[in-house]
Amino acid sequence: CVNPGAGEAATGSSAVDALLYQKQKQAEEHHIRWECDVQIPPACGIHEFDLCVLFGNLLDNALKACEKCPPEKNRRICVQARPVKHCFLLEIKNRTDLKNIDQFQFFLKHPADGHGIGLRNVRDVLQKYDGTLHMDLQEDLLAASLLLPLQPPSRT
């Protein structure tokens, strides 16, 4: 996914490349398997800073969740992003020790000790671009899926 020093952005965004490289190194330090396939279309209409808010906050959550899982649980993070029709789809899947999605929703509504703040930043970006976030928990795999229109609505 990330090829530092290659001269051009592997994902389509040098800022996202740098962020993914840093998160990949963090995952490796904690013995978390990292899978990544990210393609950001040129002139997608989504500011690089906003892309970094989305990737950074969701990956921070994924890293924290994986670190809480015992190593024998096949700790891993899978990052995929690509254009789909007229939208940008970002999916991050990771192992978690959460037992139900309600635990995750609680942190969204009652941020404490840093829990939920990053997701509020994600929601702010989604609102800016009229995007959506869907969270799903299947056994011990948490999936966050974001969908953003490639051409954001005009702001008057």
Side-chain angles (χ1 to χ4, degrees), residues 125-152:
V125 172
L126 291 173
Q127 185 176 3
K128 179 179 178 181
Y129 294 97
D130 295 327
T132 61
L133 168 64
H134 177 75
M135 304 297 295
D136 188 37
L137 182 63
Q138 297 290 326
E139 295 185 22
D140 63 351
L141 191 67
L142 181 66
S145 301
L146 295 174
L147 200 59
L148 298 163
L150 282 177
Q151 296 300 319

PDB file of all heavy atoms in Angstrom, residues 125-152:
ATOM      1  N   VAL A 125     -16.278  15.489   9.516  1.00  0.00           N
ATOM      2  CA  VAL A 125     -15.848  15.411   8.113  1.00  0.00           C
ATOM      3  C   VAL A 125     -16.960  14.806   7.258  1.00  0.00           C
ATOM      4  O   VAL A 125     -17.251  15.292   6.160  1.00  0.00           O
ATOM      5  CB  VAL A 125     -14.533  14.610   7.971  1.00  0.00           C
ATOM      6  CG1 VAL A 125     -14.202  14.371   6.500  1.00  0.00           C
ATOM      7  CG2 VAL A 125     -13.385  15.336   8.657  1.00  0.00           C
ATOM      8  N   LEU A 126     -17.590  13.763   7.762  1.00  0.00           N
ATOM      9  CA  LEU A 126     -18.689  13.156   7.011  1.00  0.00           C
ATOM     10  C   LEU A 126     -19.810  14.148   6.754  1.00  0.00           C
ATOM     11  O   LEU A 126     -20.367  14.203   5.657  1.00  0.00           O
ATOM     12  CB  LEU A 126     -19.232  11.938   7.759  1.00  0.00           C
ATOM     13  CG  LEU A 126     -18.308  10.730   7.817  1.00  0.00           C
ATOM     14  CD1 LEU A 126     -18.885   9.663   8.727  1.00  0.00           C
ATOM     15  CD2 LEU A 126     -18.032  10.176   6.442  1.00  0.00           C
ATOM     16  N   GLN A 127     -20.113  14.949   7.761  1.00  0.00           N
ATOM     17  CA  GLN A 127     -21.173  15.950   7.608  1.00  0.00           C
ATOM     18  C   GLN A 127     -20.776  16.985   6.561  1.00  0.00           C
ATOM     19  O   GLN A 127     -21.595  17.386   5.734  1.00  0.00           O
ATOM     20  CB  GLN A 127     -21.447  16.614   8.949  1.00  0.00           C
ATOM     21  CG  GLN A 127     -22.614  17.571   8.913  1.00  0.00           C
ATOM     22  CD  GLN A 127     -22.930  18.136  10.293  1.00  0.00           C
ATOM     23  OE1 GLN A 127     -22.244  17.866  11.271  1.00  0.00           O
ATOM     24  NE2 GLN A 127     -23.979  18.925  10.370  1.00  0.00           N
ATOM     25  N   LYS A 128     -19.526  17.388   6.568  1.00  0.00           N
ATOM     26  CA  LYS A 128     -19.016  18.389   5.613  1.00  0.00           C
ATOM     27  C   LYS A 128     -19.212  17.933   4.167  1.00  0.00           C
ATOM     28  O   LYS A 128     -19.517  18.734   3.289  1.00  0.00           O
ATOM     29  CB  LYS A 128     -17.541  18.643   5.903  1.00  0.00           C
ATOM     30  CG  LYS A 128     -16.859  19.621   4.989  1.00  0.00           C
ATOM     31  CD  LYS A 128     -15.409  19.794   5.424  1.00  0.00           C
ATOM     32  CE  LYS A 128     -14.651  20.731   4.515  1.00  0.00           C
ATOM     33  NZ  LYS A 128     -13.240  20.876   4.948  1.00  0.00           N
ATOM     34  N   TYR A 129     -19.024  16.630   3.913  1.00  0.00           N
ATOM     35  CA  TYR A 129     -19.100  16.093   2.557  1.00  0.00           C
ATOM     36  C   TYR A 129     -20.369  15.278   2.288  1.00  0.00           C
ATOM     37  O   TYR A 129     -20.460  14.587   1.281  1.00  0.00           O
ATOM     38  CB  TYR A 129     -17.870  15.222   2.272  1.00  0.00           C
ATOM     39  CG  TYR A 129     -16.581  16.004   2.253  1.00  0.00           C
ATOM     40  CD1 TYR A 129     -15.770  16.060   3.386  1.00  0.00           C
ATOM     41  CD2 TYR A 129     -16.176  16.695   1.119  1.00  0.00           C
ATOM     42  CE1 TYR A 129     -14.579  16.781   3.382  1.00  0.00           C
ATOM     43  CE2 TYR A 129     -14.991  17.416   1.098  1.00  0.00           C
ATOM     44  CZ  TYR A 129     -14.204  17.454   2.238  1.00  0.00           C
ATOM     45  OH  TYR A 129     -13.030  18.172   2.234  1.00  0.00           O
ATOM     46  N   ASP A 130     -21.329  15.340   3.198  1.00  0.00           N
ATOM     47  CA  ASP A 130     -22.562  14.564   3.072  1.00  0.00           C
ATOM     48  C   ASP A 130     -22.274  13.070   2.949  1.00  0.00           C
ATOM     49  O   ASP A 130     -22.878  12.361   2.149  1.00  0.00           O
ATOM     50  CB  ASP A 130     -23.413  15.042   1.881  1.00  0.00           C
ATOM     51  CG  ASP A 130     -23.927  16.455   2.081  1.00  0.00           C
ATOM     52  OD1 ASP A 130     -24.189  16.833   3.234  1.00  0.00           O
ATOM     53  OD2 ASP A 130     -24.048  17.183   1.078  1.00  0.00           O
ATOM     54  N   GLY A 131     -21.351  12.582   3.777  1.00  0.00           N
ATOM     55  CA  GLY A 131     -20.984  11.174   3.766  1.00  0.00           C
ATOM     56  C   GLY A 131     -21.708  10.397   4.839  1.00  0.00           C
ATOM     57  O   GLY A 131     -22.448  10.955   5.657  1.00  0.00           O
ATOM     58  N   THR A 132     -21.499   9.087   4.822  1.00  0.00           N
ATOM     59  CA  THR A 132     -22.131   8.205   5.809  1.00  0.00           C
ATOM     60  C   THR A 132     -21.094   7.274   6.422  1.00  0.00           C
ATOM     61  O   THR A 132     -20.068   6.976   5.808  1.00  0.00           O
ATOM     62  CB  THR A 132     -23.241   7.348   5.173  1.00  0.00           C
ATOM     63  OG1 THR A 132     -22.666   6.526   4.157  1.00  0.00           O
ATOM     64  CG2 THR A 132     -24.346   8.202   4.587  1.00  0.00           C
ATOM     65  N   LEU A 133     -21.379   6.827   7.637  1.00  0.00           N
ATOM     66  CA  LEU A 133     -20.545   5.868   8.346  1.00  0.00           C
ATOM     67  C   LEU A 133     -21.434   4.719   8.796  1.00  0.00           C
ATOM     68  O   LEU A 133     -22.513   4.937   9.359  1.00  0.00           O
ATOM     69  CB  LEU A 133     -19.900   6.519   9.581  1.00  0.00           C
ATOM     70  CG  LEU A 133     -19.219   5.593  10.584  1.00  0.00           C
ATOM     71  CD1 LEU A 133     -18.017   4.892   9.962  1.00  0.00           C
ATOM     72  CD2 LEU A 133     -18.790   6.374  11.824  1.00  0.00           C
ATOM     73  N   HIS A 134     -20.969   3.504   8.545  1.00  0.00           N
ATOM     74  CA  HIS A 134     -21.683   2.315   9.017  1.00  0.00           C
ATOM     75  C   HIS A 134     -20.699   1.463   9.800  1.00  0.00           C
ATOM     76  O   HIS A 134     -19.595   1.195   9.328  1.00  0.00           O
ATOM     77  CB  HIS A 134     -22.254   1.520   7.839  1.00  0.00           C
ATOM     78  CG  HIS A 134     -22.930   0.263   8.257  1.00  0.00           C
ATOM     79  ND1 HIS A 134     -24.167   0.244   8.856  1.00  0.00           N
ATOM     80  CD2 HIS A 134     -22.527  -1.021   8.192  1.00  0.00           C
ATOM     81  CE1 HIS A 134     -24.497  -0.994   9.141  1.00  0.00           C
ATOM     82  NE2 HIS A 134     -23.521  -1.789   8.743  1.00  0.00           N
ATOM     83  N   MET A 135     -21.090   1.070  11.003  1.00  0.00           N
ATOM     84  CA  MET A 135     -20.265   0.207  11.853  1.00  0.00           C
ATOM     85  C   MET A 135     -20.959  -1.148  11.963  1.00  0.00           C
ATOM     86  O   MET A 135     -22.175  -1.208  12.153  1.00  0.00           O
ATOM     87  CB  MET A 135     -20.112   0.808  13.250  1.00  0.00           C
ATOM     88  CG  MET A 135     -19.557   2.209  13.285  1.00  0.00           C
ATOM     89  SD  MET A 135     -17.887   2.372  12.653  1.00  0.00           S
ATOM     90  CE  MET A 135     -16.973   1.418  13.825  1.00  0.00           C
ATOM     91  N   ASP A 136     -20.166  -2.218  11.862  1.00  0.00           N
ATOM     92  CA  ASP A 136     -20.721  -3.558  11.947  1.00  0.00           C
ATOM     93  C   ASP A 136     -19.777  -4.430  12.768  1.00  0.00           C
ATOM     94  O   ASP A 136     -18.557  -4.333  12.623  1.00  0.00           O
ATOM     95  CB  ASP A 136     -20.889  -4.137  10.541  1.00  0.00           C
ATOM     96  CG  ASP A 136     -21.646  -5.447  10.542  1.00  0.00           C
ATOM     97  OD1 ASP A 136     -22.588  -5.599  11.339  1.00  0.00           O
ATOM     98  OD2 ASP A 136     -21.285  -6.332   9.734  1.00  0.00           O
ATOM     99  N   LEU A 137     -20.340  -5.256  13.621  1.00  0.00           N
ATOM    100  CA  LEU A 137     -19.558  -6.174  14.446  1.00  0.00           C
ATOM    101  C   LEU A 137     -20.025  -7.595  14.162  1.00  0.00           C
ATOM    102  O   LEU A 137     -21.179  -7.931  14.387  1.00  0.00           O
ATOM    103  CB  LEU A 137     -19.746  -5.841  15.930  1.00  0.00           C
ATOM    104  CG  LEU A 137     -18.968  -6.677  16.932  1.00  0.00           C
ATOM    105  CD1 LEU A 137     -17.461  -6.508  16.747  1.00  0.00           C
ATOM    106  CD2 LEU A 137     -19.369  -6.298  18.349  1.00  0.00           C
ATOM    107  N   GLN A 138     -19.123  -8.401  13.602  1.00  0.00           N
ATOM    108  CA  GLN A 138     -19.392  -9.818  13.333  1.00  0.00           C
ATOM    109  C   GLN A 138     -18.403 -10.628  14.158  1.00  0.00           C
ATOM    110  O   GLN A 138     -17.205 -10.624  13.858  1.00  0.00           O
ATOM    111  CB  GLN A 138     -19.210 -10.124  11.844  1.00  0.00           C
ATOM    112  CG  GLN A 138     -20.161  -9.395  10.930  1.00  0.00           C
ATOM    113  CD  GLN A 138     -21.588  -9.898  11.050  1.00  0.00           C
ATOM    114  OE1 GLN A 138     -21.819 -11.076  11.282  1.00  0.00           O
ATOM    115  NE2 GLN A 138     -22.530  -8.986  10.925  1.00  0.00           N
ATOM    116  N   GLU A 139     -18.901 -11.285  15.197  1.00  0.00           N
ATOM    117  CA  GLU A 139     -18.064 -12.018  16.150  1.00  0.00           C
ATOM    118  C   GLU A 139     -17.008 -11.073  16.714  1.00  0.00           C
ATOM    119  O   GLU A 139     -17.357 -10.148  17.407  1.00  0.00           O
ATOM    120  CB  GLU A 139     -17.487 -13.273  15.502  1.00  0.00           C
ATOM    121  CG  GLU A 139     -18.556 -14.269  15.130  1.00  0.00           C
ATOM    122  CD  GLU A 139     -18.013 -15.561  14.604  1.00  0.00           C
ATOM    123  OE1 GLU A 139     -16.840 -15.894  14.880  1.00  0.00           O
ATOM    124  OE2 GLU A 139     -18.768 -16.253  13.905  1.00  0.00           O
ATOM    125  N   ASP A 140     -15.735 -11.255  16.384  1.00  0.00           N
ATOM    126  CA  ASP A 140     -14.695 -10.364  16.934  1.00  0.00           C
ATOM    127  C   ASP A 140     -14.052  -9.492  15.856  1.00  0.00           C
ATOM    128  O   ASP A 140     -12.923  -9.053  15.994  1.00  0.00           O
ATOM    129  CB  ASP A 140     -13.629 -11.188  17.667  1.00  0.00           C
ATOM    130  CG  ASP A 140     -12.889 -12.143  16.750  1.00  0.00           C
ATOM    131  OD1 ASP A 140     -13.305 -12.297  15.593  1.00  0.00           O
ATOM    132  OD2 ASP A 140     -11.894 -12.725  17.201  1.00  0.00           O
ATOM    133  N   LEU A 141     -14.798  -9.208  14.785  1.00  0.00           N
ATOM    134  CA  LEU A 141     -14.302  -8.371  13.701  1.00  0.00           C
ATOM    135  C   LEU A 141     -15.186  -7.131  13.575  1.00  0.00           C
ATOM    136  O   LEU A 141     -16.386  -7.245  13.298  1.00  0.00           O
ATOM    137  CB  LEU A 141     -14.281  -9.154  12.387  1.00  0.00           C
ATOM    138  CG  LEU A 141     -13.559  -8.501  11.229  1.00  0.00           C
ATOM    139  CD1 LEU A 141     -12.060  -8.403  11.507  1.00  0.00           C
ATOM    140  CD2 LEU A 141     -13.797  -9.281   9.946  1.00  0.00           C
ATOM    141  N   LEU A 142     -14.590  -5.958  13.814  1.00  0.00           N
ATOM    142  CA  LEU A 142     -15.304  -4.688  13.701  1.00  0.00           C
ATOM    143  C   LEU A 142     -14.997  -4.085  12.337  1.00  0.00           C
ATOM    144  O   LEU A 142     -13.830  -4.005  11.939  1.00  0.00           O
ATOM    145  CB  LEU A 142     -14.864  -3.728  14.807  1.00  0.00           C
ATOM    146  CG  LEU A 142     -15.540  -2.361  14.836  1.00  0.00           C
ATOM    147  CD1 LEU A 142     -17.024  -2.495  15.169  1.00  0.00           C
ATOM    148  CD2 LEU A 142     -14.864  -1.459  15.858  1.00  0.00           C
ATOM    149  N   ALA A 143     -16.025  -3.675  11.623  1.00  0.00           N
ATOM    150  CA  ALA A 143     -15.858  -3.065  10.305  1.00  0.00           C
ATOM    151  C   ALA A 143     -16.459  -1.666  10.318  1.00  0.00           C
ATOM    152  O   ALA A 143     -17.618  -1.482  10.693  1.00  0.00           O
ATOM    153  CB  ALA A 143     -16.530  -3.910   9.235  1.00  0.00           C
ATOM    154  N   ALA A 144     -15.644  -0.693   9.911  1.00  0.00           N
ATOM    155  CA  ALA A 144     -16.112   0.685   9.735  1.00  0.00           C
ATOM    156  C   ALA A 144     -16.097   0.968   8.240  1.00  0.00           C
ATOM    157  O   ALA A 144     -15.065   0.805   7.586  1.00  0.00           O
ATOM    158  CB  ALA A 144     -15.199   1.658  10.469  1.00  0.00           C
ATOM    159  N   SER A 145     -17.225   1.374   7.698  1.00  0.00           N
ATOM    160  CA  SER A 145     -17.346   1.676   6.274  1.00  0.00           C
ATOM    161  C   SER A 145     -17.821   3.113   6.099  1.00  0.00           C
ATOM    162  O   SER A 145     -18.882   3.478   6.597  1.00  0.00           O
ATOM    163  CB  SER A 145     -18.339   0.735   5.594  1.00  0.00           C
ATOM    164  OG  SER A 145     -17.940  -0.602   5.744  1.00  0.00           O
ATOM    165  N   LEU A 146     -17.023   3.896   5.367  1.00  0.00           N
ATOM    166  CA  LEU A 146     -17.375   5.282   5.076  1.00  0.00           C
ATOM    167  C   LEU A 146     -17.664   5.417   3.595  1.00  0.00           C
ATOM    168  O   LEU A 146     -16.970   4.824   2.768  1.00  0.00           O
ATOM    169  CB  LEU A 146     -16.197   6.216   5.366  1.00  0.00           C
ATOM    170  CG  LEU A 146     -15.711   6.366   6.786  1.00  0.00           C
ATOM    171  CD1 LEU A 146     -14.457   7.226   6.794  1.00  0.00           C
ATOM    172  CD2 LEU A 146     -16.767   7.005   7.630  1.00  0.00           C
ATOM    173  N   LEU A 147     -18.648   6.220   3.259  1.00  0.00           N
ATOM    174  CA  LEU A 147     -18.969   6.501   1.872  1.00  0.00           C
ATOM    175  C   LEU A 147     -19.113   8.008   1.722  1.00  0.00           C
ATOM    176  O   LEU A 147     -19.907   8.634   2.425  1.00  0.00           O
ATOM    177  CB  LEU A 147     -20.278   5.783   1.488  1.00  0.00           C
ATOM    178  CG  LEU A 147     -20.552   5.554   0.023  1.00  0.00           C
ATOM    179  CD1 LEU A 147     -19.442   4.728  -0.631  1.00  0.00           C
ATOM    180  CD2 LEU A 147     -21.893   4.857  -0.156  1.00  0.00           C
ATOM    181  N   LEU A 148     -18.301   8.583   0.833  1.00  0.00           N
ATOM    182  CA  LEU A 148     -18.314  10.034   0.581  1.00  0.00           C
ATOM    183  C   LEU A 148     -18.531  10.292  -0.897  1.00  0.00           C
ATOM    184  O   LEU A 148     -17.862   9.654  -1.734  1.00  0.00           O
ATOM    185  CB  LEU A 148     -16.975  10.666   0.976  1.00  0.00           C
ATOM    186  CG  LEU A 148     -16.558  10.575   2.422  1.00  0.00           C
ATOM    187  CD1 LEU A 148     -15.073  10.856   2.561  1.00  0.00           C
ATOM    188  CD2 LEU A 148     -17.350  11.556   3.246  1.00  0.00           C
ATOM    189  N   PRO A 149     -19.417  11.220  -1.260  1.00  0.00           N
ATOM    190  CA  PRO A 149     -19.537  11.586  -2.668  1.00  0.00           C
ATOM    191  C   PRO A 149     -18.200  12.150  -3.167  1.00  0.00           C
ATOM    192  O   PRO A 149     -17.528  12.894  -2.452  1.00  0.00           O
ATOM    193  CB  PRO A 149     -20.617  12.673  -2.676  1.00  0.00           C
ATOM    194  CG  PRO A 149     -21.316  12.539  -1.371  1.00  0.00           C
ATOM    195  CD  PRO A 149     -20.333  11.961  -0.409  1.00  0.00           C
ATOM    196  N   LEU A 150     -17.823  11.786  -4.392  1.00  0.00           N
ATOM    197  CA  LEU A 150     -16.551  12.268  -4.928  1.00  0.00           C
ATOM    198  C   LEU A 150     -16.575  13.763  -5.221  1.00  0.00           C
ATOM    199  O   LEU A 150     -15.575  14.429  -5.091  1.00  0.00           O
ATOM    200  CB  LEU A 150     -16.157  11.491  -6.180  1.00  0.00           C
ATOM    201  CG  LEU A 150     -15.575  10.124  -5.896  1.00  0.00           C
ATOM    202  CD1 LEU A 150     -15.286   9.386  -7.192  1.00  0.00           C
ATOM    203  CD2 LEU A 150     -14.293  10.242  -5.084  1.00  0.00           C
ATOM    204  N   GLN A 151     -17.695  14.294  -5.640  1.00  0.00           N
ATOM    205  CA  GLN A 151     -17.818  15.732  -5.840  1.00  0.00           C
ATOM    206  C   GLN A 151     -18.691  16.279  -4.722  1.00  0.00           C
ATOM    207  O   GLN A 151     -19.906  16.088  -4.733  1.00  0.00           O
ATOM    208  CB  GLN A 151     -18.439  16.046  -7.210  1.00  0.00           C
ATOM    209  CG  GLN A 151     -17.589  15.595  -8.372  1.00  0.00           C
ATOM    210  CD  GLN A 151     -16.218  16.258  -8.365  1.00  0.00           C
ATOM    211  OE1 GLN A 151     -16.083  17.443  -8.089  1.00  0.00           O
ATOM    212  NE2 GLN A 151     -15.192  15.487  -8.686  1.00  0.00           N
ATOM    213  N   PRO A 152     -18.080  16.937  -3.738  1.00  0.00           N
ATOM    214  CA  PRO A 152     -18.880  17.444  -2.611  1.00  0.00           C
ATOM    215  C   PRO A 152     -19.884  18.484  -3.093  1.00  0.00           C
ATOM    216  O   PRO A 152     -19.665  19.154  -4.096  1.00  0.00           O
ATOM    217  CB  PRO A 152     -17.845  18.066  -1.684  1.00  0.00           C
ATOM    218  CG  PRO A 152     -16.666  18.350  -2.543  1.00  0.00           C
ATOM    219  CD  PRO A 152     -16.686  17.331  -3.645  1.00  0.00           C
TER     220      PRO A 152
END
